[in-house]
Amino acid sequence: MTRRNFISGLGALFLAGCGGGDMAPASASDGSPATAALPVQTPELTSVPTSAPLPAPTPTPPETTPPPANNTFVHPGLLHTQADFDHMSQKVKANAAPWVDGWNVLIANSHARLSYMPRPQAAIYRGSDGVHAENYTLLYNDIAATYACALRWKISGDTAYADKAVAILNAWSSTLTLLGGNSDVDLAAGLYGYEFANAAEIMRSYSGWAAADLASFQNMMRTVFYPINHDFLIRHNGTEVTHYWANWDLCNMASIMAIGVLCDDRAMFNEAVDYFKNGAGNGAVSQAVYYMHPGYLGQWQETGRDQGHNTLGIALMGPICEMAWNQGVDLYGYDNNRFLAGAEYVAKANLIESGNAFYTVPYVTYNNVDHVNQTAFATGGQGDVRPGWALVYNHYVNRKGLAAPYSKKFAAQIQPEGGGGNYGPNSGGYDQLGYGTLTCTRDPIASGAAPSGLTAIASQGQVVLSWWGSAYASSYDVKRGTNAGGPYTTIATGINDLLSYTDSADSGLAAGTYYYVVIAQTPSGASLASNEASATTAVQLLAYLALDDGNGLTATDSSGKGHAGILVNGASWAGGKKGGALSLNGSDGYVSLPADIVSDVADITVAAWVFWKASSKWARIFDFGSGSGHYMMLTARGDTGFPRFAITVNGAYGEHAIDGNAALSVGQWVHVAVTLSGKTGTLYLDGNPVGSNPAMVLAPFRLGGTSQNWIGRSQYAADPHFNGLIDEFRIYRGALSAAQIAALM
């Protein structure tokens, strides 16, 4: 298994400039951009175009879905579409705020001048390789100039700026052949790859950019940038996958996606989309937004590191979502708006609540291969006003009609942000293209959507509700019923922040199954109801495999829930503790249970009789998950020689575990059980507690979808299969008491 005896082998792989996944010193990624002398620029501040004011804009209805996806890419179709440029142009010509304010910031930037002179290089170095000096500032300044001039052309129609942008693109595509340095070259390939591709995507429709020159630029992006992006995501420089922070993955994902669209390469585009959803590294959305607190505050992966990198994560994932949206793929809404949860958490954590005091946000311990028990919120860089929030706010509020109060405040705080490094104090330099006020602001939406994304999680006799709010709503009412579809009784009113409610005995909650909806109170009255969410507070048998079948390949489920198991490979039948039993051969036999069997479960009990024939470390009694990054498992013997239960959402080094203090006997029947009740986990052998952990912050539902739910097999291919017999395998929704565990025997 990768967690064992792996760290000792990593030392030689960690390049000097890697710093445990740190951004390069004195680089833009550290919030203190490195600078290089620019050519002398002559003033060229063009006044805003004037014309008769246009009528006040009509609020737009919600744009609830992305453009339809097909095999033909939309062009321009990365951060901005032609419709976006038409909108910007109209607003600037009408002197409409805040667009015109963003325009004036653009034209005042030295990168947006016709006198700007590019400085192309054959090789760009980021991070010291001991031979070559770093020169990547030349590249990112020229990218900033290309993008700024491209915007000026698309908004004003002045082709002089188009010619300047094309000249810079051609200068680099005819010169650059190498990106080098230490491991920080992966940052250069990612950050500048996605930015350069975006600038070129804007210019591809310009008739003055020759087809041969576009092809040359596309070739440079394919051969110089993409191979580094791809290699990083699949190898992470030979390190354990959680070694690099989220931003390293994110910038390379953004580059792959942008190059895919620029080069009309669907496989490349899909590579980025798939990694966003299913990638093993910390940039995949389920790892980047590590933990979902009540009210959908999504703790970002770098929260215990510093806030400069936390805000960079939002500034990188936002463009990934926007580029995908413009090609018909909704990553913004993926996994119940998980990105928005991360954005709201990061925004709230970096906003002043009153005086000099920041808002407080909840925090749970984070672990990875390099950081064990990162127990506290990191205040370094807190208040960083890095750009990117206009994109977040305008998508979720003015496209979708959702509430995003903290992203809204952050967007207002930086408005109108600039570009080319001119964002304001502690703004992160050239890691973003900037100008979001100009490019991302949308007309106000006419009315908010109904509350949505309601979830209900039952734990310790209570039900915790969370939901997404509605733009313009002033408060929310929670309703509860005992039948699907109602009728419902109002149990809470006047909720406005946090968008969460805990239903308990105080409001009449008893053991049973309940159904909930949420209503928003808005200026135009009560909204439609949210989706309905249900929760069961009573202990409930989810699966009962008596394993008395005796023949065939199906292990019958007697719970009535339809969770039968399928015998695979060397799994067969034998006599058991109570009638028949499952026999596993220790080499390839196991039982597969249905997908997502515990995907809506918080408190849980798993119990079985086991007869272990041959002791082997890490053999699984059960292992439910979706691979070696997300799983919940019970092994008969861990490194301590005793049983171990563990659950993780970011691999072996992120395990929250219960280690037993007694060995599981070989050659005799032993009853094993594990329970999770709130944050308390308990491990039992023969009805006796042999291990506990009062800080189990993870629960089965946090694993997300699980397609590999196995008895007798590990998520890790190198681990041995269980060798022995298993009888009376049970899963309960809810934690049985010690007395109830004893009664199962």
Side-chain angles (χ1 to χ4, degrees):
M1 185 180 297
T2 56
R3 66 179 171 281
R4 298 185 299 278
N5 302 320
F6 188 84
I7 298 178
S8 61
L10 291 180
L13 295 172
F14 290 177
L15 300 177
C18 191
D22 290 335
M23 300 297 188
S27 73
S29 304
D30 281 324
S32 53
T35 58
L38 289 171
V40 175
Q41 309 287 350
T42 55
E44 189 183 320
L45 303 182
T46 307
S47 61
V48 64
T50 57
S51 63
L54 296 177
T58 301
T60 54
E63 185 182 330
T64 56
T65 59
N70 54 53
N71 288 326
T72 302
F73 285 109
V74 174
H75 296 299
L78 287 177
L79 286 177
H80 321 300
T81 65
Q82 186 57 48
D84 294 331
F85 285 120
D86 292 343
H87 186 253
M88 296 176 217
S89 181
Q90 178 196 36
K91 296 299 184 181
V92 169
K93 289 176 181 176
N95 290 321
W99 296 269
V100 71
D101 303 316
W103 171 262
N104 287 331
V105 170
L106 167 66
I107 64 176
N109 193 305
S110 61
H111 293 86
R113 299 178 185 173
L114 297 177
S115 56
Y116 185 92
M117 298 301 294
R119 293 163 293 170
Q121 305 291 310
I124 286 292
Y125 296 93
R126 176 164 179 169
S128 174
D129 63 0
V131 178
H132 302 92
E134 290 186 302
N135 63 348
Y136 64 96
T137 60
L138 302 175
L139 175 59
Y140 68 55
N141 274 288
D142 281 7
I143 293 171
T146 310
Y147 181 69
C149 290
L151 289 182
R152 291 195 70 165
W153 165 58
K154 290 296 285 188
I155 294 170
S156 71
D158 187 340
T159 58
Y161 292 96
D163 292 334
K164 173 58 67 173
V166 164
I168 301 172
L169 293 170
N170 289 344
W172 279 92
S173 65
S174 62
T175 306
L176 182 65
T177 60
L178 173 71
L179 297 179
N182 61 19
S183 62
D184 287 356
V185 70
D186 298 312
L187 298 174
L191 293 168
Y192 315 136
Y194 103 82
E195 293 176 349
F196 223 173
N198 264 275
E201 176 70 9
I202 296 172
M203 298 310 306
R204 68 182 302 146
S205 62
Y206 179 50
S207 61
W209 196 14
D213 291 335
L214 169 60
S216 178
F217 189 89
Q218 291 170 323
N219 182 66
M220 179 189 72
M221 299 307 295
R222 278 186 177 277
T223 60
V224 178
F225 288 85
Y226 171 74
I228 298 174
N229 304 145
H230 173 74
D231 182 73
F232 179 80
L233 290 186
I234 63 173
R235 289 196 321 107
H236 292 87
N237 290 320
T239 64
E240 199 276 337
V241 72
T242 63
H243 167 64
Y244 285 95
W245 298 98
N247 288 313
W248 292 70
D249 277 0
L250 287 169
C251 66
N252 283 284
M253 292 158 59
S255 183
I256 291 172
M257 179 175 286
I259 296 170
V261 173
L262 177 69
C263 297
D264 290 295
D265 190 320
R266 180 62 61 176
M268 211 180 278
F269 177 84
N270 290 343
E271 177 183 355
V273 170
D274 184 65
Y275 200 95
F276 179 96
K277 295 179 178 180
N278 306 307
N282 286 322
V285 69
S286 62
Q287 282 86 256
V289 186
Y290 167 69
Y291 189 92
M292 199 75 75
H293 295 277
Y296 296 146
L297 286 178
Q299 182 175 317
W300 195 263
Q301 188 260 341
E302 303 195 52
T303 299
R305 183 191 185 190
D306 64 71
Q307 298 311 304
H309 288 93
N310 239 21
T311 52
L312 176 58
I314 306 305
L316 289 172
M317 188 171 280
I320 291 171
C321 292
E322 182 69 11
M323 292 186 295
W325 175 272
N326 285 331
Q327 298 300 333
V329 178
D330 186 6
L331 298 183
Y332 280 116
Y334 181 75
D335 196 11
N336 195 12
N337 302 311
R338 196 174 185 97
F339 170 56
L340 177 57
E344 285 291 281
Y345 180 95
V346 172
K348 184 174 184 179
N350 286 278
L351 285 166
I352 296 290
E353 183 175 16
S354 63
N356 294 320
F358 289 93
Y359 284 100
T360 58
V361 292
Y363 181 87
V364 298
T365 296
Y366 175 77
N367 299 319
N368 66 18
V369 64
D370 302 306
H371 300 277
V372 178
N373 292 326
Q374 199 173 62
T375 58
F377 177 92
T379 58
Q382 195 170 16
D384 192 328
V385 292
R386 190 185 294 273
W389 299 98
L391 181 70
V392 178
Y393 164 67
N394 279 281
H395 172 79
Y396 286 107
V397 177
N398 290 329
R399 266 188 186 143
K400 302 291 289 183
L402 303 180
Y406 298 106
S407 297
K408 178 181 180 179
K409 290 179 182 179
F410 223 135
Q413 177 174 294
I414 194 175
Q415 180 176 302
E417 74 273 37
N422 298 327
Y423 304 137
N426 304 317
S427 60
Y430 294 78
D431 293 342
Q432 306 84 209
L433 289 165
Y435 304 117
T437 300
L438 171 64
T439 62
C440 300
T441 301
R442 304 177 65 82
D443 292 325
I445 197 167
S447 59
S452 59
L454 177 66
T455 56
I457 303 299
S459 179
Q460 297 183 300
Q462 298 181 328
V463 177
V464 178
L465 304 172
S466 298
W467 62 92
W468 291 113
S470 172
Y472 309 130
S474 57
S475 65
Y476 300 86
D477 303 338
V478 177
K479 298 176 180 289
R480 182 183 71 201
T482 55
N483 295 291
Y488 306 103
T489 300
T490 300
I491 58 173
T493 60
I495 299 170
N496 50 40
D497 186 33
L498 196 66
L499 300 190
S500 179
Y501 176 75
T502 300
D503 193 13
S504 65
D506 293 340
S507 53
L509 192 71
T513 298
Y514 298 91
Y515 302 86
Y516 299 88
V517 294
V518 173
I519 305 292
Q521 297 299 332
T522 75
S524 57
S527 73
L528 297 174
S530 69
N531 61 295
E532 182 182 77
S534 65
T536 299
T537 58
V539 173
Q540 182 184 75
L541 189 61
L542 280 184
Y544 174 34
L545 277 59
L547 300 170
D548 292 332
D549 302 84
N551 59 73
L553 298 179
T554 299
T556 303
D557 172 28
S558 301
S559 72
K561 303 297 182 182
H563 292 148
I566 302 298
L567 279 64
V568 182
N569 297 329
S572 59
W573 303 106
K577 176 70 175 179
K578 299 182 178 181
L582 172 69
S583 178
L584 300 175
N585 63 6
S587 59
D588 64 353
Y590 66 99
V591 168
S592 179
L593 296 174
D596 303 330
I597 191 169
V598 294
S599 63
D600 63 347
V601 176
D603 294 353
I604 193 170
T605 301
V606 184
W609 284 99
V610 301
F611 187 101
W612 203 13
K613 292 182 179 180
S615 175
S616 56
K617 192 185 293 186
W618 300 112
R620 298 293 200 266
I621 295 171
F622 69 84
D623 195 332
F624 299 165
S626 56
S628 58
H630 293 66
Y631 58 82
M632 176 181 76
M633 67 86 172
L634 176 62
T635 182
R637 181 186 175 194
D639 275 333
T640 63
F642 302 142
R644 175 183 175 90
F645 171 82
I647 183 170
T648 182
V649 294
N650 65 322
Y653 294 98
E655 286 185 353
H656 293 248
I658 310 166
D659 286 305
N661 58 22
L664 194 153
S665 300
V666 177
Q668 66 184 60
W669 284 102
V670 179
H671 191 264
V672 297
V674 61
T675 64
L676 291 177
S677 177
K679 294 181 180 179
T680 300
T682 307
L683 181 62
Y684 296 86
L685 292 183
D686 285 333
N688 300 308
V690 295
S692 65
N693 184 345
M696 298 287 288
V697 299
L698 298 180
F701 75 90
R702 297 189 183 277
L703 297 174
T706 58
S707 57
Q708 299 177 168
N709 301 316
W710 297 325
I711 300 173
R713 179 183 173 184
S714 169
Q715 304 293 325
Y716 292 87
D719 285 340
H721 286 56
F722 186 84
N723 185 358
L725 308 175
I726 294 179
D727 200 0
E728 297 279 321
F729 189 89
R730 303 169 188 257
I731 306 173
Y732 291 87
R733 183 193 303 276
L736 297 184
S737 67
Q740 290 170 319
I741 294 293
L744 286 182
M745 299 176 59

